[in-house]
Amino acid sequence: FIDELDAIAPSRDDISVSHMNTSVVNEILAQLNNSGEDNVFVVGATNRYDAIDRALLRKGRLDKHIYVPPPDYEARKGMFKLYLERRPLSDDIDYDVLAQASDEMVSSELKFICDEAARAALQRDQKITQAIVLIAIAENRS
């Protein structure tokens, strides 16, 4: 598994890519050529698909491309329930409001928001409130 694929195999067409990076990309391409024939299964992930060298994405290297979109409303609502369970919550938590307020956020951001809300509540010596979570969402918008 190669995470942040765009960082190790940036597009060689990008003028900011150095000669050293070009050599690394060339080596990765050579190593991936028909790796399936050697029973090597490579999985890569990126948030910047457009920044990956196109040669890496051709058949015989990374054959299948799967787009995983940000979680939808129901998934975000479920994630808030999951990440906030077993934490001291006030009675005003409305998961529908949290899911709506976190549109386009991904799972790692939602987890971070819940952790931040828990820390903020702990510092105030109170339960996690709707307002605390909404502040954490607002503060962590990219």
Side-chain angles (χ1 to χ4, degrees):
F1 177 75
I2 304 170
D3 197 8
E4 303 298 342
L5 197 54
D6 56 285
I8 65 164
S11 175
R12 292 169 292 172
D13 294 336
D14 186 340
I15 59 171
S16 68
V17 174
S18 71
H19 175 68
M20 186 178 92
N21 283 355
T22 299
S23 297
V24 170
V25 173
N26 289 337
E27 182 61 27
I28 291 168
L29 295 174
Q31 294 298 321
L32 283 178
N33 273 340
N34 301 312
S35 59
E37 293 174 5
D38 296 325
N39 295 318
V40 175
F41 185 75
V42 179
V43 176
T46 183
N47 291 330
R48 300 188 56 223
Y49 182 80
D50 58 313
I52 297 172
D53 193 277
R54 293 288 139 226
L56 190 70
L57 303 174
R58 77 159 177 79
K59 302 297 183 213
R61 290 185 178 135
L62 295 178
D63 299 334
K64 304 283 183 189
H65 309 158
I66 301 169
Y67 172 70
V68 179
D72 64 12
Y73 174 87
E74 287 299 323
R76 290 191 312 277
K77 183 176 170 181
M79 284 181 216
F80 275 114
K81 288 179 181 179
L82 175 70
Y83 295 145
L84 291 172
E85 75 179 352
R86 294 193 214 115
R87 296 186 187 217
L89 299 177
S90 71
D91 293 335
D92 72 341
I93 298 292
D94 183 339
Y95 295 106
D96 289 304
V97 171
L98 299 179
Q100 186 70 35
S102 59
D103 189 42
E104 294 300 312
M105 290 183 150
V106 297
S107 178
S108 60
E109 291 173 306
L110 300 181
K111 172 80 167 82
F112 181 79
I113 285 164
C114 292
D115 292 345
E116 284 293 294
R119 280 189 274 279
L122 182 62
Q123 287 174 343
R124 297 175 187 172
D125 195 28
Q126 67 182 64
K127 292 182 177 183
I128 300 169
T129 64
Q130 180 86 5
I132 290 173
V133 180
L134 289 173
I135 289 169
I137 291 170
E139 289 177 348
N140 290 285
R141 281 246 174 239
S142 325

